[in-house]
Amino acid sequence: MMQHYSLKKVGQMERFHRANFINCLTGFKSPVLIGTVNTKGEENLAIFNNLVHLGADPALIGFINRPREAAPHTLANIEATGVYTINHITASFIHQAHQTSAKYPEGVSEFERTGLTPEKIGDCAAPFVAESPVKFSLVLKEVIPIQFNNTYFVIGAITEIYLNSALVEEDGCLDLQKADIVASMGLTDYYAVNKIAKLPYARP
Amino acid sequence: MMQHYSLKKVGQMERFHRANFINCLTGFKSPVLIGTVNTKGEENLAIFNNLVHLGADPALIGFINRPREAAPHTLANIEATGVYTINHITASFIHQAHQTSAKYPEGVSEFERTGLTPEKIGDCAAPFVAESPVKFSLVLKEVIPIQFNNTYFVIGAITEIYLNSALVEEDGCLDLQKADIVASMGLTDYYAVNKIAKLPYARP
């Protein structure tokens, strides 16, 4: 039966229960690993589940970085070097990808701690994830502070894309399911997907 | 085999092919229907697939609105009335939900054209979608123009939430799969999901 959750009722939930509840309201997302490097050459890898498509031409992607005190390294590295990589996650390495969300001190490489493999491609300073079948590099365009909760909306422009051409469908869409790329919801739940429809461009 | 798609190569793709290709790089998302009303009381309903979680306390959600000339009604209505609803989509009405992406003139209700049912709840001026099992209302907090492509990052605060309490798991997460809520990718592809893991809070 449909139930009403007022803000008051949500406010009375235990803190982690409420965080899970509100996090799930935005539904399914693709979790990704963002690879960065600091000016000392120390690599960082962190899982994010809040990518958003901003436009195809120019090809722009945004993501939300949590407050600096909670999640300092990715944003600081991107600001310092101007570049980062985004790497999709397959079912075969969700445990390692999830483990990058643990709070390691600065200078500790999540690659080393999780066993994922850093991969340098071309002249991109930031590391890619070798295990990822769909990945791309970006240059930073803008960091927009969100005044309400000290988060940041980070906008980047895609520079290079690496994926298996067998994933590209006739209409340009990607068959991420074929590559076993997962979806996630909230902070803990991972999902496999199964295509149920391709619906054409809608006209009145 | 892994292939390299440079920006030059992407730029040479046919326009719709490129749009699909770049749109898919952000991966899976939950498509949702955003319900609004203008000051004349005319209702609007439009599908969006770029929600992003901004924070749990306060409960803030962002979405991207395309340039005003391409997608005028939702943003104008939100700016005029300050309120909107977000409604998740189940497999049983993906065709109707997708059809709201057609360009109807102002004053034409996508509810009427698609057969979805507007539902007024409480004193929220904006319509909910009766068919949706998970929905919530928001008040507008800020509209941030994105300078690079005339899109807008629209931030709202959740005010009321309506869902079946049977979907709420012990830890506060929502079992959207149980409600047959879909994921989507790009502009055309819809997916059913299947939970494969719940991973605990990660520690170093």
Side-chain angles (χ1 to χ4, degrees):
Chain A
M1 211 197 93
M2 197 64 99
Q3 247 187 297
H4 175 206
Y5 293 81
S6 65
L7 272 196
K8 192 179 161 197
K9 194 165 174 179
V10 171
Q12 288 163 345
M13 292 176 179
E14 184 275 327
R15 187 178 148 225
F16 287 103
H17 190 93
R18 179 180 63 211
N20 285 332
F21 183 84
I22 297 295
N23 252 288
C24 287
L25 287 177
T26 37
F28 302 107
K29 290 145 312 198
S30 266
V32 293
L33 289 165
I34 297 188
T36 58
V37 66
N38 66 16
T39 51
K40 289 185 264 182
E42 294 166 337
E43 295 172 334
N44 193 273
L45 189 68
I47 193 166
F48 285 78
N49 63 0
N50 48 31
L51 286 196
V52 62
H53 170 83
L54 275 168
D57 186 22
L60 296 172
I61 286 179
F63 75 91
I64 303 295
N65 199 96
R66 291 189 302 144
R68 287 186 197 268
E69 55 279 20
H73 305 142
T74 297
L75 183 54
N77 290 355
I78 291 174
E79 289 175 322
T81 65
V83 297
Y84 51 114
T85 72
I86 293 183
N87 307 267
H88 277 280
I89 297 167
T90 65
S92 61
F93 64 94
I94 50 173
H95 289 84
Q96 289 137 295
H98 186 78
Q99 182 60 28
T100 65
S101 63
K103 275 202 176 187
Y104 295 106
E106 199 189 341
V108 170
S109 166
E110 289 83 3
F111 283 107
E112 277 174 32
R113 294 305 168 96
T114 64
L116 291 169
T117 313
E119 180 184 22
K120 297 304 281 288
I121 310 182
D123 57 3
C124 180
F128 290 87
V129 176
E131 287 81 359
S132 173
V134 175
K135 48 202 171 194
F136 43 99
S137 54
L138 304 96
V139 292
L140 177 64
K141 297 295 284 183
E142 192 175 5
V143 177
I144 300 176
I146 306 298
Q147 56 176 309
F148 308 107
N149 61 1
N150 300 317
T151 56
Y152 297 87
F153 187 50
V154 183
I155 300 176
I158 295 177
T159 48
E160 314 287 343
I161 302 161
Y162 302 93
L163 54 84
N164 188 327
S165 58
L167 301 178
V168 185
E169 298 177 341
E170 221 169 287
D171 59 4
C173 289
L174 302 180
D175 188 350
L176 299 189
Q177 177 184 353
K178 195 195 264 182
D180 271 339
I181 287 171
V182 296
S184 70
M185 195 175 41
L187 301 167
T188 57
D189 294 356
Y190 292 83
Y191 289 81
V193 300
N194 181 33
K195 196 188 288 189
I196 54 173
K198 184 185 273 287
L199 303 183
Y201 184 82
R203 300 177 192 284
Chain B
M1 209 198 92
M2 197 63 99
Q3 246 187 299
H4 175 207
Y5 293 81
S6 64
L7 272 195
K8 192 179 162 197
K9 194 166 174 180
V10 171
Q12 287 163 346
M13 292 175 178
E14 183 276 326
R15 189 177 146 226
F16 287 103
H17 190 94
R18 179 179 62 210
N20 285 332
F21 184 84
I22 297 294
N23 252 287
C24 286
L25 286 178
T26 37
F28 302 108
K29 291 146 311 198
S30 266
V32 293
L33 289 164
I34 298 188
T36 59
V37 66
N38 66 16
T39 51
K40 290 185 265 184
E42 295 166 336
E43 294 172 336
N44 192 274
L45 190 67
I47 193 167
F48 285 77
N49 64 1
N50 47 32
L51 286 196
V52 62
H53 171 83
L54 275 169
D57 188 21
L60 297 172
I61 286 179
F63 75 91
I64 303 295
N65 199 96
R66 292 188 301 145
R68 286 186 196 268
E69 56 278 19
H73 305 141
T74 296
L75 183 55
N77 290 355
I78 291 174
E79 288 175 322
T81 64
V83 298
Y84 51 112
T85 72
I86 292 181
N87 306 267
H88 277 279
I89 297 167
T90 65
S92 61
F93 64 94
I94 50 172
H95 288 84
Q96 289 139 295
H98 185 77
Q99 182 60 29
T100 66
S101 64
K103 274 203 175 186
Y104 296 106
E106 198 188 341
V108 170
S109 166
E110 288 82 3
F111 283 107
E112 278 174 30
R113 294 306 167 96
T114 64
L116 291 169
T117 313
E119 180 182 25
K120 298 304 280 288
I121 310 183
D123 57 4
C124 179
F128 291 87
V129 176
E131 288 81 357
S132 173
V134 175
K135 48 203 170 193
F136 44 99
S137 54
L138 304 96
V139 292
L140 176 63
K141 297 296 284 183
E142 191 175 5
V143 177
I144 300 176
I146 305 298
Q147 56 175 307
F148 308 107
N149 61 0
N150 300 315
T151 56
Y152 298 87
F153 188 50
V154 182
I155 299 176
I158 295 177
T159 47
E160 314 287 343
I161 302 160
Y162 302 92
L163 54 84
N164 188 326
S165 57
L167 301 179
V168 184
E169 299 177 343
E170 221 168 286
D171 59 2
C173 290
L174 302 180
D175 188 350
L176 299 189
Q177 177 185 353
K178 195 195 262 182
D180 270 339
I181 287 170
V182 296
S184 70
M185 196 176 41
L187 301 167
T188 58
D189 294 356
Y190 293 83
Y191 289 81
V193 301
N194 181 33
K195 197 189 287 189
I196 54 173
K198 184 186 275 285
L199 302 183
Y201 184 82
R203 298 177 193 284

